């Protein structure tokens, strides 16, 4: 077999392995488990684990990298909630920002036509994948099953606008 044919056969494998090296894999639970968090909501965002129960929060659906490597919202939405992570292998899809401004601000300039989030609509987005207009979010968004107090804590963290301090 020629070198060119060998390389052509190995290209899909090389691409797959390269995709597994994207920055998202560094965002799993273990990267943040030694940090101190200011709130249970912040811990859930970074680790997908509740301070209350010390258990990993159950999830269904969502992006396969997050499911494979664990973690919380940070896996796709980033440490500063800026979004932008590429949802491999759907490289045209990126995670939206979850900053206070992006959740509560005007959505007309970003292509979204739904109203801004509030506490209840954000809870629905997290647990049921529904936006404030009642439309489904992208299937890459996991549906989290958590206790009401954990959900309230996460929503308070997201709406607080506070950045993580180490």
């Amino acid at each position: 077999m020629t070198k060119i044919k060998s390389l052509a056969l190995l290209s899909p494998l090389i691409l797959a392995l390269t995709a597994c090296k994207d920055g998202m894999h560094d965002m799993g639970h273990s990267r943040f488990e030694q940090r101190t968090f200011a709130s249970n909501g912040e811990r859930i965002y970074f680790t997908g684990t509740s301070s209350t129960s010390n258990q990993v929060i159950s999830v269904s659906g969502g992006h396969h990298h997050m499911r494979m490597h664990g973690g919380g919202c940070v896996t796709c939405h980033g440490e500063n909630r800026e979004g932008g992570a590429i949802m491999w292998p759907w490289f045209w899809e990126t995670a939206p920002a979850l900053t206070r401004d992006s959740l509560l601000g005007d959505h007309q300039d970003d292509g979204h036509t739904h109203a801004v989030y509030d506490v209840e609509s954000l809870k629905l987005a997290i647990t049921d994948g529904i936006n404030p207009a009642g439309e489904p979010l992208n299937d890459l968004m996991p549906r989290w099953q958590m206790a009401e107090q954990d959900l309230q804590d996460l929503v308070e963290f997201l709406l607080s606008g506070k950045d993580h301090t180490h």
Side-chain angles (χ1 to χ4, degrees):
M1 191 181 293
T2 67
K3 286 184 180 182
I4 294 174
K5 282 186 178 180
S6 297
L7 185 57
L9 292 173
L10 288 175
S11 292
L13 177 61
I14 292 168
L15 179 61
L17 292 174
T18 303
C20 289
K21 288 291 203 183
D22 67 29
M24 290 172 41
H25 290 283
D26 297 332
M27 302 302 265
H29 172 74
S30 62
R31 180 173 176 198
F32 300 105
E33 67 186 7
Q34 299 302 318
R35 290 192 183 179
T36 302
F37 298 103
S39 69
N40 183 39
E42 183 179 46
R43 182 176 185 203
I44 292 168
Y45 181 87
F46 279 88
T47 68
T49 304
S50 168
S51 296
T52 309
S53 67
N54 206 30
Q55 297 292 315
V56 173
I57 295 173
S58 298
V59 63
S60 63
H63 189 259
H64 72 277
H65 286 258
M66 190 275 311
R67 289 193 319 265
M68 287 172 34
H69 297 280
C73 313
V74 70
T75 304
C76 298
H77 299 284
E79 282 191 60
N80 295 314
R81 302 188 312 232
E82 71 280 2
I86 296 171
M87 303 286 102
W88 292 101
W90 299 277
F91 59 88
W92 57 90
E93 296 281 351
T94 58
L98 292 182
T99 61
R100 178 178 168 82
D101 289 343
S102 67
L103 294 170
L104 300 177
D106 181 8
H107 286 280
Q108 293 185 355
D109 292 335
D110 65 7
H112 294 105
T113 57
H114 61 75
V116 298
Y117 282 93
D118 61 17
V119 170
E120 292 308 313
S121 62
L122 193 51
K123 286 181 178 181
L124 278 176
I126 294 166
T127 59
D128 297 340
I130 304 293
N131 75 16
E135 300 164 340
L137 296 174
N138 190 304
D139 287 338
L140 295 172
M141 169 63 184
R143 283 34 171 183
W144 298 88
Q145 294 89 45
M146 63 182 82
E148 181 60 33
Q149 186 59 57
D150 288 336
L151 182 58
Q152 183 65 35
D153 292 346
L154 177 58
V155 167
E156 285 176 13
F157 170 70
L158 291 172
L159 295 179
S160 73
K162 295 178 183 172
D163 286 333
H164 177 71
T165 55
H166 303 285

